Amino acid sequence: QGRAIRRVVALFDNVEDLIAENDRRYEDDNENYTIDQDRLQIGYVTLTTTLPWLFKKSADMEYDEYLQMLKLLRQGADSARGDDTSKLKTLVAEWVNKGFKPDIPVDFDDKHTRGFSNDACGRLLCPAELDWNNPKKCSLLTRVRTGIRDRSEGYIVTDLSFPAYLYDGYTANPDDLEEGLFQGKILVQGYKAVFTSPSSAKVVEGDGDGTDIIQNNRRARKSFNGAKVKKHVRFSLSSITSWRSVDGDFDYFQFWCTIVDFFERPPGRDARRRVERLLEWWSRKVFGRSHRNDISDVAKARMSVNALAMQRAQRDDAAFDSP
């Protein structure tokens, strides 16, 4: 139980904190909530739709039993996060080696060979506003790589910068930083590996081969910003060997909040429409598009299921009319 919590509800917050925020709102008439409080409340609402049995079951429990249930949920949630992190650790190394063919391949087990010390991982982790790998600017290239590795002024990597791996083609347009954002190939691979299957992550070109499941699955759509996967991919590319919320100057919790806010707190209607289009892109990319409605009635009538039904009806009619 609880494995869906870190994947769909909240990556960092505990169930107890979500429930406490909802309870506080019932007791407090103040409507001037902070962004953090709103995040907790959104998490609570998602929790109630993800685990609809939770509150009905808890109402019939003694308090000690209730606390034990929450503990088990938390353990299940953290266990799922650990499993996903371990899974992506190996898969991300495979994808980087296949996609970039580095002179020294990324080791599947030793994370000390990753991070900015590795040119392939460094390119993907590099802040979008910097140029890690431009052969036309050799002196600048050296300065960027050295500056990041030495954590020099102007090259300190924090959660205030979008990593290049978030972008389509792993390159950002400085004049339109929203263009291609959250469309990186390795993101799609990571999402499919976690939410569908590792084998499905091998094919990410074009649309998926399923149906428009996101349009009909509100829970899946709620989780489709993939904030968890975006964070896990960065962790897999980094050189840190065990999970923690801060990696040097990079705060994973703030990074997660930035991604969630991008999808859930757009500044206006146009931004919201762009978010919707991005979610639709992800829906097609991961689950595919249904072409059922494109089939004409004439074509449907010739298909074997409908053709057989017609033949059986005709035979029945013929038998009824025969003397």
Side-chain angles (χ1 to χ4, degrees):
Q1 299 291 347
R3 292 182 65 85
I5 292 174
R6 293 285 175 254
R7 293 175 174 174
V8 178
V9 179
L11 185 58
F12 290 94
D13 301 312
N14 291 323
V15 174
E16 296 92 328
D17 296 329
L18 304 181
I19 296 174
E21 173 58 25
N22 186 70
D23 291 344
R24 188 187 64 79
R25 294 193 179 211
Y26 272 108
E27 300 169 359
D28 187 1
D29 294 332
N30 179 24
E31 296 184 357
N32 296 320
Y33 303 120
T34 66
I35 293 177
D36 290 338
Q37 289 171 336
D38 282 341
R39 288 196 192 102
L40 288 172
Q41 184 63 17
I42 291 172
Y44 172 84
V45 173
T46 308
L47 177 67
T48 60
T49 57
T50 304
L51 304 178
W53 53 265
L54 175 61
F55 299 100
K56 181 179 179 180
K57 185 175 182 179
S58 62
D60 300 328
M61 287 183 168
E62 296 293 334
Y63 186 66
D64 289 343
E65 294 177 321
Y66 172 70
L67 292 180
Q68 178 64 17
M69 181 184 67
L70 294 184
K71 178 181 177 181
L72 293 175
L73 287 175
R74 184 169 62 252
Q75 290 175 345
D78 292 341
S79 175
R81 181 171 63 188
D83 291 345
D84 293 337
T85 299
S86 178
K87 179 192 300 181
L88 287 178
K89 172 186 173 183
T90 300
L91 290 173
V92 165
E94 176 185 333
W95 299 333
V96 171
N97 289 336
K98 183 177 181 180
F100 292 90
K101 297 178 174 57
D103 294 333
I104 302 177
V106 178
D107 193 291
F108 281 47
D109 299 313
D110 185 6
K111 289 203 71 188
H112 292 99
T113 63
R114 306 187 191 191
F116 290 108
S117 62
N118 181 289
D119 284 342
C121 293
R123 176 186 173 185
L124 295 170
L125 292 169
C126 183
E129 64 270 21
L130 299 177
D131 189 352
W132 178 271
N133 197 25
N134 189 337
K136 296 181 180 180
K137 303 177 182 178
C138 293
S139 60
L140 177 60
L141 180 154
T142 304
R143 189 161 68 244
V144 168
R145 296 186 183 187
T146 302
I148 289 177
R149 288 164 177 165
D150 293 343
R151 297 166 76 175
S152 303
E153 178 67 28
Y155 299 98
I156 296 175
V157 179
T158 74
D159 50 89
L160 293 175
S161 295
F162 287 119
Y165 73 83
L166 294 177
Y167 283 89
D168 182 25
Y170 309 131
T171 303
N173 178 359
D175 297 321
D176 184 1
L177 289 171
E178 193 172 349
E179 179 184 340
L181 182 60
F182 303 129
Q183 293 181 314
K185 178 180 178 180
I186 203 168
L187 282 184
V188 180
Q189 290 176 300
Y191 190 96
K192 295 183 76 170
V194 170
F195 287 95
T196 55
S197 70
S199 60
S200 71
K202 295 179 181 179
V203 180
V204 295
E205 304 300 337
D207 291 343
D209 57 1
T211 61
D212 290 317
I213 189 172
I214 292 297
Q215 303 301 328
N216 302 309
N217 188 328
R218 299 179 67 183
R219 183 187 305 172
R221 190 169 179 82
K222 179 67 179 176
S223 70
F224 214 64
N225 60 59
K228 166 203 170 69
V229 172
K230 297 171 178 67
K231 186 276 303 176
H232 275 350
V233 169
R234 190 193 188 280
F235 174 79
S236 299
L237 289 168
S238 75
S239 59
I240 58 175
T241 56
S242 60
W243 164 250
R244 54 179 180 265
S245 60
V246 177
D247 173 13
D249 302 296
F250 194 97
D251 189 320
Y252 281 102
F253 176 72
Q254 292 302 323
F255 181 51
W256 177 73
C257 289
T258 296
I259 296 171
V260 171
D261 288 347
F262 176 90
F263 286 91
E264 295 186 349
R265 302 176 65 89
R269 287 181 297 178
D270 286 344
R272 184 172 296 280
R273 281 194 288 267
R274 291 194 298 274
V275 165
E276 288 298 317
R277 287 197 296 270
L278 178 58
L279 290 173
E280 290 170 1
W281 180 89
W282 270 89
S283 173
R284 295 192 305 272
K285 202 71 175 174
V286 176
F287 296 102
R289 185 202 299 270
S290 174
H291 297 281
R292 186 184 186 93
N293 293 332
D294 298 335
I295 304 174
S296 68
D297 291 338
V298 174
K300 289 179 181 178
R302 290 198 298 265
M303 292 180 176
S304 56
V305 170
N306 292 326
L308 173 60
M310 180 64 70
Q311 291 170 2
R312 295 179 73 190
Q314 290 173 346
R315 288 176 181 174
D316 199 58
D317 290 343
F320 179 80
D321 294 337
S322 63

